[in-house]
Amino acid sequence: MKFTEEHEWLREEDGMIVVGITEHAATQLGDIVFVELPDVGTTVTKDEEVVVIESVKAASDILAPIDGEIVEVNEALNDAPATVNDDAMGNGWMFKIAASDPSQMDEYMDEAAYKKLVE
């Protein structure tokens, strides 16, 4: 698993990259009430806005951590956005991306470095 300074996590799974926000980010946002997911088939560029999360505190943009194509989104978040609060690192995942350059993941922190960042 890799982590961005923007509090996103990335995990390789079956040749795809699964992306979500960290528990730290979910806690900072507060109760999440709405998640606007990208369309499957959308081609994204690293640092491009792909998801909008609305919480009781604020709205926040999630950026694409790597270049590629959105191949799946977590439709369950449409009906249960609070899943991100309850299980940010598991069932609260946002989207899966087919990376056009998987080496972009090498730029990100491992779990130990991320924990140090949020201390």
Side-chain angles (χ1 to χ4, degrees):
M1 211 174 217
K2 296 287 189 160
F3 298 86
T4 73
E5 290 184 5
E6 291 77 30
H7 308 287
E8 297 168 357
W9 56 264
L10 298 85
R11 177 179 65 230
E12 190 168 348
E13 188 177 282
D14 299 326
M16 302 297 148
I17 308 300
V18 183
V19 180
I21 63 170
T22 65
E23 290 173 4
H24 176 79
T27 300
Q28 295 298 310
L29 284 168
D31 293 335
I32 295 171
V33 295
F34 178 74
V35 179
E36 182 181 328
L37 298 166
D39 293 327
V40 171
T42 301
T43 300
V44 295
T45 304
K46 184 177 185 251
D47 297 329
E48 175 183 342
E49 176 190 307
V50 290
V51 174
V52 177
I53 295 177
E54 292 182 17
S55 71
V56 293
K57 291 183 181 179
S60 185
D61 298 329
I62 304 300
L63 306 178
I66 56 177
D67 299 338
E69 180 182 342
I70 304 295
V71 293
E72 187 177 343
V73 297
N74 189 350
E75 298 283 353
L77 299 182
N78 291 329
D79 295 325
T83 303
V84 177
N85 294 112
D86 299 336
D87 190 14
M89 307 288 281
N91 291 329
W93 64 275
M94 305 274 171
F95 58 90
K96 294 181 182 179
I97 190 168
S100 54
D101 182 5
S103 70
Q104 287 178 313
M105 283 187 62
D106 297 341
E107 302 170 23
Y108 297 119
M109 296 173 269
D110 62 16
E111 189 171 3
Y114 180 74
K115 284 182 176 179
K116 190 171 184 175
L117 174 76
V118 298
E119 283 180 354

